[in-house]
Amino acid sequence: MKLRISTLLLLLAFAHASAAQSVISLAVNLSSSPKDSLNDASITLYKLPDTLLIGSQLYKPGGNRFTLNTYTKYLLRVSSVNFLPVERMIATTDKPLSLSIPVKRKTTDLQDVTVVSRKPVIKQEDDKSVVDATALSNSSTNAYEVLEKTPGTIVDQDGNVYLSSLTPATVYINGREMKLSSEDLASLLKSLPASSVSKIEILRNPSAKFDAASSGGIINIVLKKGVKIGSNGSANIAYFQGVYSTQTAGFNINKSSGRLNSYLSYQFTRRNNYEELSSTRFIRTDSSLLSQNAYTSYPGLGNYIGGGFDMAFTKKFNINYDLRINQNNGKSFALNDISIHKLPAQTTTGMNSSDIDNRNNALYAGNELSSKYKIDTLGSEWTVELEYNYYRNRNNQDYANYYSLPANPTVSGNGSTSGRKNIFVFQTDLVLKLPRIVNIETGFKLTNSNSRNSAAYTIDPGTGIPQTDAYQTNTFRYRETITAAYLQVSRTFLGFTLKPGLRLETTDINGRQLVPRDTNLSINRTDLFPYVYLQHKLFKLFGVQLIGNAIYRRSIRRPYYEILNPYPKYVDQYVFDVGNPRLQPQFTTNYELNVTFDGFPVLAGGINETKSIFSNVTYQDDATRIAYRTYDNLGKSKEYYARILGGVPPGGKYFFYIGAQYNHITYNGIYQNQPLNYKRGSWLFFMFQEYKATKTLTFNMQGFMRTKAIQNFYELDNFGGLFLSVNKSILKKKANIILSVNDLLRTNQVSFKLNQGNVSAAGSRINDTRRVGITIRYNFGLSKPKEEKEFGNATEPKEN
């Protein structure tokens, strides 16, 4: 404890010693026709990337002056009733700046005025990459597909998302971790409309402000909250056809009246999909081969409601409330044919099949109440946030196992499962922007999560008399409390920006299985997580400054509720998913160097060192031929990665970027009392192209390819996808018609191999990925629709 206190005091001393630098001045002069008067012109300055208001001044004939921090980006906006609005991006150095801005009088017919703004698809903001979701949502049916198409991300068929490492990233929605299993999170994202996604924020190396439980980085899905100009809205309807069809329709209404801004949105979705799984598993004890061919369809209905308001009581103080409700009714119908062959003669020794039907109802409700107080014009602020999230999932399952060789009575069963999760969050953050290029950030966060799960199953072994299935009947209680505090300081000097930080987190996890037997689990620990970020200018290329960044951080990945619960979940008669209550957290140390070019990430390389890895593993009972999929702490790994991006910047008719990432991992562990060691490298290639044929017609093409990948010890063959869309504006740009094709070449299919201990398996998974779609969107309102300035306006990941 003395060491922790000393470290925190050292950071405070660093901040105090940093207050020896100076700010710079900005002079702004407006010019217009000699006949025009600029007396009503307003000059407003925002700090990027979060568009934080720094100050606003009326035009002065002798010019206006602002005080700015060095090596910081700003947005300057000039507005007036009689003149066209003007915006300027400003990137400061350590020298004073002077701007001369010409302004033009508005025409009498506002319908003739068109303001065009081209936003980059991907850009770097401090320690995160920001991806504009507009083009990606044009060819997507839901938020899950938008995430799949986000450049630089990898989404597996189980819903896990990967960035720079083989550890899954933590997924946030509007800055909050969902704390759901990958399966439940994927279901939630598939029920969110694609048009509701504003942007995707990628934090590969989150700072000490963010939760330490982000070893694989953070993916923040930012949903739209409306624009604060007048009263307006939009309506949309879409139809997508693959093997099955998906239909969706909804609306969004925004209203701004003085200090109160509010929004309401609704989306209905009817969807269907399928999965075709083929696999073979070798049973060593009797040299037999078990072959399975399963076909599952997933019809469902979803309703999404979002709403909220922002009330500005004064220029410095505002309160915000946000509500999201997502309700999903889903079904699945699975047909599974199984055959067993004796090797090497290929003699058939067994044939059976199964029918598995599931009926699922899920409800998610999120509430967030927050306040912000702006302390000064430099950007100092104090925020307080309270949040309550509720998740409920109910499932009814019926199954029947038919045995034709050898002939045996049909075994059938049914069961119901019910899960509830309540998550409470309190956090407060203080940001102090000192006038000498020093920022101090500190905060406290308390997260409490309570989960309950129960399952009641019966089984009929062929006698016609159902009886309690003691193996699958289960009751489990779980409580998780994470308490955190952090201190982070940033200082700019001699062209360098140094940002060290330290985070203290206390973990208190308790789980108890009540049925079928009383079993307890507990994890109690306190850990420190250091973070260091260093930025410096390198050199200019084509007149644009290259910025170099170096990052060091330590993080944790805690086992979550669903994989700790020892309840065996029935998949089919030869596969069960089982939790492991003995799991322990894993820890990762990351080192990265990266380079940005005019805010665009171009180069990166790094190392991830992970200890006590818990991975998805399979244990096979050779006597019954049943495979149990679970998690276990097996070993450690060292992973090297490199990433490169390049392209033509937006602004002209044609824009594109292309990128590649290489990962090489060395793994050392113990599995079934035997060494498990391997080395493997893999590539990820991705690209995006946009061609603006006319002012109202745009073509987009996006694609990716992944080679020789490894995922939870599964070796994956090469796979990828190509996505096309055409966007046509009509009715004076009030409406859009979008035609799209997903997975044009039908290459987004995965073949896999697994050689792990006594398990040797191979197979393939195919989904309904190739789809043709049409989307129609219409904008309406009292004021002329304006292009959304999503970057910097929507919510960032909550920094605690």
Side-chain angles (χ1 to χ4, degrees):
M1 181 61 70
K2 290 182 178 180
L3 176 61
R4 295 170 184 156
I5 293 174
S6 299
T7 308
L8 291 172
L9 289 175
L10 182 61
L11 283 172
L12 286 172
F14 172 82
H16 180 74
S18 302
Q21 301 295 317
S22 59
V23 294
I24 65 167
S25 64
L26 169 66
V28 181
N29 291 282
L30 304 183
S31 61
S32 64
S33 170
K35 300 179 181 179
D36 296 328
S37 172
L38 296 171
N39 291 335
D40 65 341
S42 176
I43 305 174
T44 308
L45 186 68
Y46 301 90
K47 183 180 178 182
L48 298 177
D50 52 2
T51 58
L52 180 68
L53 177 63
I54 299 300
S56 181
Q57 301 178 13
L58 289 175
Y59 166 73
K60 299 177 182 178
N64 296 71
R65 290 188 175 275
F66 295 87
T67 300
L68 309 183
N69 292 334
T70 59
Y71 303 103
T72 307
K73 290 186 177 180
Y74 294 89
L75 173 67
L76 185 75
R77 181 174 295 160
V78 179
S79 58
S80 171
V81 175
N82 300 314
F83 295 88
L84 293 175
V86 181
E87 292 184 354
R88 291 287 187 271
M89 298 286 293
I90 302 171
T92 64
T93 62
D94 55 355
K95 298 179 180 179
L97 291 176
S98 178
L99 287 180
S100 180
I101 302 177
V103 293
K104 296 181 180 180
R105 178 170 287 278
K106 292 180 180 178
T107 63
T108 55
D109 184 2
L110 292 179
Q111 297 295 328
D112 296 335
V113 179
T114 302
V115 180
V116 179
S117 175
R118 299 292 300 277
K119 298 180 290 184
V121 174
I122 181 171
K123 66 178 180 178
Q124 191 73 21
E125 292 182 356
D126 197 14
D127 54 359
K128 67 185 175 185
S129 299
V130 183
V131 179
D132 178 20
T134 303
L136 305 182
S137 64
N138 287 341
S139 59
S140 303
T141 63
N142 52 58
Y144 185 84
E145 291 185 5
V146 173
L147 190 58
E148 285 184 307
K149 298 171 186 176
T150 300
T153 65
I154 302 168
V155 182
D156 68 19
Q157 291 183 318
D158 295 317
N160 295 300
V161 186
Y162 299 86
L163 296 175
S164 299
S165 72
L166 295 182
T167 300
T170 304
V171 177
Y172 286 38
I173 296 179
N174 276 358
R176 287 296 187 196
E177 182 183 356
M178 290 294 97
K179 290 188 179 294
L180 300 175
S181 68
S182 58
E183 180 182 356
D184 289 337
L185 181 61
S187 177
L188 175 62
L189 294 179
K190 287 176 181 178
S191 60
L192 289 178
S195 59
S196 69
V197 181
S198 164
K199 60 182 177 179
I200 306 289
E201 296 179 339
I202 301 173
L203 294 91
R204 291 184 168 86
N205 302 282
S207 72
K209 296 165 59 177
F210 298 93
D211 289 335
S214 53
S215 298
I218 293 174
I219 293 282
N220 183 38
I221 302 171
V222 180
L223 304 180
K224 295 176 181 177
K225 288 191 175 183
V227 291
K228 298 182 178 181
I229 303 176
S231 299
N232 52 68
S234 64
N236 68 86
I237 186 171
Y239 181 88
F240 298 86
Q241 182 67 54
V243 174
Y244 297 107
S245 65
T246 293
Q247 307 94 39
T248 183
F251 65 86
N252 179 68
I253 299 174
N254 312 293
K255 184 176 178 61
S256 177
S257 56
R259 297 178 177 181
L260 179 64
N261 302 286
S262 58
Y263 78 99
L264 175 67
S265 61
Y266 171 77
Q267 195 78 18
F268 170 79
T269 303
R270 182 195 300 272
R271 65 184 184 279
N272 202 351
N273 204 330
Y274 78 87
E275 178 184 77
E276 188 174 347
L277 174 64
S278 301
S279 66
T280 57
R281 246 189 316 126
F282 180 63
I283 313 299
R284 299 182 189 276
T285 53
D286 61 356
S287 297
S288 62
L289 192 69
L290 189 151
S291 300
Q292 291 183 269
N293 291 286
Y295 183 92
T296 308
S297 60
Y298 299 94
L301 297 174
N303 294 275
Y304 169 78
I305 299 175
F309 68 85
D310 183 287
M311 180 67 183
F313 291 90
T314 69
K315 291 184 178 180
K316 291 187 174 183
F317 180 71
N318 72 290
I319 290 181
N320 177 274
Y321 175 72
D322 187 36
L323 171 68
R324 299 180 303 277
I325 299 176
N326 193 80
Q327 188 267 340
N328 185 49
N329 289 315
K331 298 179 181 180
S332 68
F333 306 102
L335 302 175
N336 189 10
D337 293 321
I338 301 167
S339 60
I340 302 173
H341 304 277
K342 186 76 173 179
L343 300 178
Q346 292 288 336
T347 304
T348 301
T349 59
M351 292 185 65
N352 53 74
S353 62
S354 64
D355 296 337
I356 307 158
D357 296 341
N358 288 280
R359 298 171 303 282
N360 179 273
N361 178 271
L363 175 67
Y364 168 78
N367 297 265
E368 181 182 345
L369 179 65
S370 62
S371 67
K372 178 187 292 186
Y373 177 72
K374 299 176 182 179
I375 298 174
D376 54 37
T377 59
L378 294 177
S380 300
E381 64 181 32
W382 177 36
T383 59
V384 178
E385 298 178 1
L386 294 170
E387 183 172 356
Y388 168 67
N389 292 311
Y390 173 78
Y391 182 77
R392 188 210 68 210
N393 186 42
R394 296 172 181 168
N395 188 75
N396 293 296
Q397 183 181 75
D398 297 294
Y399 67 89
N401 301 328
Y402 308 98
Y403 301 92
S404 54
L405 182 67
N408 284 302
T410 297
V411 176
S412 61
N414 63 75
S416 61
T417 62
S418 176
R420 295 198 306 268
K421 184 173 293 189
N422 294 273
I423 304 173
F424 300 88
V425 180
F426 167 78
Q427 75 174 62
T428 180
D429 297 277
L430 177 64
V431 179
L432 296 177
K433 307 270 187 176
L434 303 183
R436 300 194 178 270
I437 326 175
V438 178
N439 295 338
I440 299 177
E441 299 166 88
T442 186
F444 171 82
K445 180 179 180 182
L446 175 66
T447 303
N448 180 266
S449 175
N450 288 277
S451 302
R452 292 188 172 194
N453 185 84
S454 62
Y457 270 79
T458 61
I459 185 171
D460 179 358
T463 63
I465 303 175
Q467 59 192 46
T468 299
D469 186 346
Y471 182 65
Q472 293 195 77
T473 298
N474 172 278
T475 301
F476 189 67
R477 302 288 184 266
Y478 176 87
R479 179 180 58 81
E480 175 186 286
T481 302
I482 309 296
T483 307
Y486 75 90
L487 176 64
Q488 188 161 272
V489 180
S490 62
R491 176 190 177 189
T492 301
F493 59 97
L494 302 177
F496 287 90
T497 297
L498 177 63
K499 182 164 65 175
L502 188 66
R503 187 177 185 87
L504 175 71
E505 288 194 354
T506 299
T507 303
D508 183 9
I509 293 176
N510 291 281
R512 185 180 180 184
Q513 178 182 261
L514 303 176
V515 178
R517 59 185 181 275
D518 199 334
T519 304
N520 294 295
L521 67 91
S522 178
I523 300 176
N524 295 280
R525 60 184 303 132
T526 300
D527 299 282
L528 278 174
F529 300 96
Y531 171 87
V532 179
Y533 172 84
L534 181 65
Q535 183 185 86
H536 185 59
K537 290 184 177 181
L538 300 178
F539 54 86
K540 288 189 176 182
L541 184 66
F542 305 116
V544 178
Q545 185 70 53
L546 287 174
I547 304 293
N549 307 282
I551 302 169
Y552 161 81
R553 72 184 293 255
R554 183 174 182 261
S555 59
I556 187 175
R557 185 186 181 208
R558 300 180 184 91
Y560 51 91
Y561 161 68
E562 284 78 7
I563 66 174
L564 289 170
N565 186 356
Y567 155 65
K569 180 181 178 182
Y570 177 89
V571 179
D572 59 53
Q573 64 266 51
Y574 289 102
V575 179
F576 282 84
D577 288 333
V578 184
N580 181 1
R582 298 182 300 275
L583 284 178
Q584 293 296 314
Q586 71 180 40
F587 292 88
T588 300
T589 302
N590 173 251
Y591 312 85
E592 179 173 300
L593 299 173
N594 62 63
V595 178
T596 61
F597 176 84
D598 193 26
F600 187 86
V602 292
L603 288 172
I607 302 173
N608 291 312
E609 295 181 334
T610 304
K611 297 179 180 180
S612 190
I613 300 175
F614 61 83
S615 304
N616 189 291
V617 294
T618 302
Y619 294 101
Q620 178 174 277
D621 187 333
D622 288 343
T624 62
R625 299 186 175 92
I626 294 177
Y628 298 93
R629 300 186 304 203
T630 186
Y631 286 79
D632 225 338
N633 296 99
L634 296 183
K636 61 181 181 179
S637 70
K638 190 169 187 177
E639 182 181 18
Y640 298 88
Y641 63 89
R643 187 171 56 253
I644 183 171
L645 286 87
V648 174
K653 278 184 168 291
Y654 179 63
F655 156 67
F656 86 93
Y657 70 79
I658 186 170
Q661 179 172 300
Y662 178 75
N663 291 70
H664 186 276
I665 187 170
T666 300
Y667 189 97
N668 301 105
I670 300 294
Y671 173 71
Q672 292 186 331
N673 299 318
Q674 298 292 325
L676 177 61
N677 305 315
Y678 65 84
K679 296 181 180 180
R680 188 174 178 90
S682 64
W683 283 95
L684 171 67
F685 302 94
F686 50 91
M687 64 86 177
F688 178 89
Q689 299 186 62
E690 179 180 282
Y691 175 67
K692 193 170 183 63
T694 68
K695 291 183 179 180
T696 60
L697 182 63
T698 303
F699 296 87
N700 287 293
M701 180 169 66
Q702 186 261 343
F704 78 97
M705 182 175 72
R706 193 180 182 193
T707 70
K708 296 182 178 180
I710 190 164
Q711 185 175 298
N712 290 325
F713 305 119
Y714 285 87
E715 300 176 24
L716 308 182
D717 286 347
N718 301 343
F719 65 96
L722 185 64
F723 312 90
L724 307 177
S725 69
V726 180
N727 190 328
K728 174 64 177 178
S729 297
I730 59 175
L731 302 177
K732 297 183 178 181
K733 296 187 177 182
K734 288 187 176 182
N736 294 77
I737 299 177
I738 303 162
L739 302 177
S740 62
V741 182
N742 277 5
D743 194 16
L744 176 66
L745 305 178
R746 208 163 183 254
T747 51
N748 195 10
Q749 306 174 11
V750 178
S751 297
F752 59 86
K753 292 186 294 185
L754 175 65
N755 292 289
Q756 184 187 86
N758 69 334
V759 180
S760 179
S764 64
R765 294 175 69 174
I766 299 173
N767 293 87
D768 195 4
T769 55
R770 182 161 64 183
R771 295 190 171 207
V772 178
I774 180 171
T775 302
I776 300 174
R777 295 176 184 163
Y778 179 75
N779 299 310
F780 58 86
L782 303 178
S783 57
K784 181 179 173 60
K786 299 190 179 183
E787 184 169 340
E788 297 168 353
K789 302 293 183 181
E790 296 294 349
F791 286 152
N793 286 345
T795 308
E796 295 183 354
K798 295 302 182 286
E799 303 147 337
N800 251 19

